[in-house]
Amino acid sequence: MAVNTLQNDLAIQLRKLHVPGNPIVFTNVYDAATALIVAKNTATKAIATASYAIAATQGVSEDRMTFAQNLASVRSIAATLSVNGLPKLPLSVDVEDGYDIPETITEIVKLGAVGCNIEDANKSTGDLRPSQEAVSRIELALKQARELGVPDFVVNARTDVLGYGGSVEDAIERGKAFLNAGACTVFVWGPGGRGTSTEEIKQLVAAFDGRLNVKLVLKGGYLTIPELREIGVARISMGPELYRAAMRAFEETANELLRH
């Protein structure tokens, strides 16, 4: 299929933002309202969704959210960002484990997305996929994007191996395989949702030549954006952190009003 030049230019733009030591920072959005707020900020270079927060806004847990539910929110986000049929900024979608890969990539590319997160945990079984199966799914996603005219589609490949009792060495082995399969960056998820330690991040940065995504944790004791930049990561994301902050403010304000 011929290249969709305008959409692929957004993919190239997104790919170029992943610079070790000068990382792209994603303040992940979860609905049209948050997408509009983030897009209006002049410092925003690209938009990424947060599946945990999207699930929460629909009243389901992340592991029970269907692709149709995820896609419904992505559709409203993409529409909010749309200019002449494409998002005005590169859009990356958190598609969890990828669901049915060809269908998933087809549907999000139709909405103008030029990147996605794909996990190596199996949503259906709760198990960690064998490494080769996870690699094949990344390759399939990129192949589908190429066939849809977006050859520079950006995959941020997440491994949950630490949460399944694996070591940093296991994460490095998987991450290198994902990068060799065409992923742009690797996201290593800490067990129980915790952030990886400073030493682990340094080890991962060295192993991946900086092509690492780290989730920022908005509380004391965790690395800041300047510190992560100094270590040399290429991508920083908030995940559900801003959603949680917004819900805390909502609850506090509502409780104060109802108290009277």
Side-chain angles (χ1 to χ4, degrees), residues 28-37 49-50 53-54 57 73-74 76-77 80:
N28 301 71
V29 305
Y30 48 89
D31 60 13
T34 54
L36 187 59
I37 290 169
T49 69
I54 285 176
T57 63
S73 291
V74 174
S76 67
I77 290 166
T80 297

Side-chain angles (χ1 to χ4, degrees), residues 5-170:
T5 303
L6 292 177
Q7 191 165 359
N8 196 60
D9 283 348
L10 286 171
I12 293 171
Q13 185 178 335
L14 178 59
R15 187 173 290 272
K16 287 181 176 179
L17 290 170
H18 291 76
V19 180
N22 186 24
I24 173 67
V25 177
F26 285 110
T27 48
N28 301 71
V29 305
Y30 48 89
D31 60 13
T34 54
L36 187 59
I37 290 169
V38 170
K40 283 181 176 179
N41 191 303
T42 57
T44 298
K45 305 300 182 186
I47 303 287
T49 69
S51 65
Y52 176 96
I54 285 176
T57 63
Q58 299 195 32
V60 298
S61 63
E62 187 178 19
D63 61 349
R64 296 182 66 85
M65 181 172 62
T66 66
F67 177 54
Q69 289 172 313
N70 196 348
L71 189 65
S73 291
V74 174
R75 185 175 289 112
S76 67
I77 290 166
T80 297
L81 300 172
S82 180
V83 176
N84 297 323
L86 282 176
K88 59 187 175 182
L89 292 167
L91 173 62
S92 181
V93 178
D94 185 347
V95 296
E96 301 196 303
D97 72 346
Y99 307 95
D100 177 84
I101 294 288
E103 177 191 9
T104 296
I105 300 302
T106 297
E107 292 301 322
I108 67 171
V109 167
K110 281 182 183 177
L111 294 177
V114 294
C116 72
N117 278 27
I118 299 179
E119 305 168 10
D120 60 359
N122 188 321
K123 180 183 174 76
S124 299
T125 66
D127 298 322
L128 188 70
R129 295 183 190 275
S131 181
Q132 188 50 55
E133 180 183 345
V135 166
S136 296
R137 289 171 67 79
I138 292 168
E139 292 172 338
L140 181 58
L142 292 168
K143 177 177 180 291
Q144 187 71 11
R146 284 195 301 273
E147 291 178 354
L148 293 167
V150 191
D152 289 287
F153 190 86
V154 175
V155 170
N156 182 40
R158 168 175 150 175
T159 178
D160 285 20
V161 68
L162 295 182
Y164 285 81
S167 65
V168 174
E169 288 72 24
D170 294 326

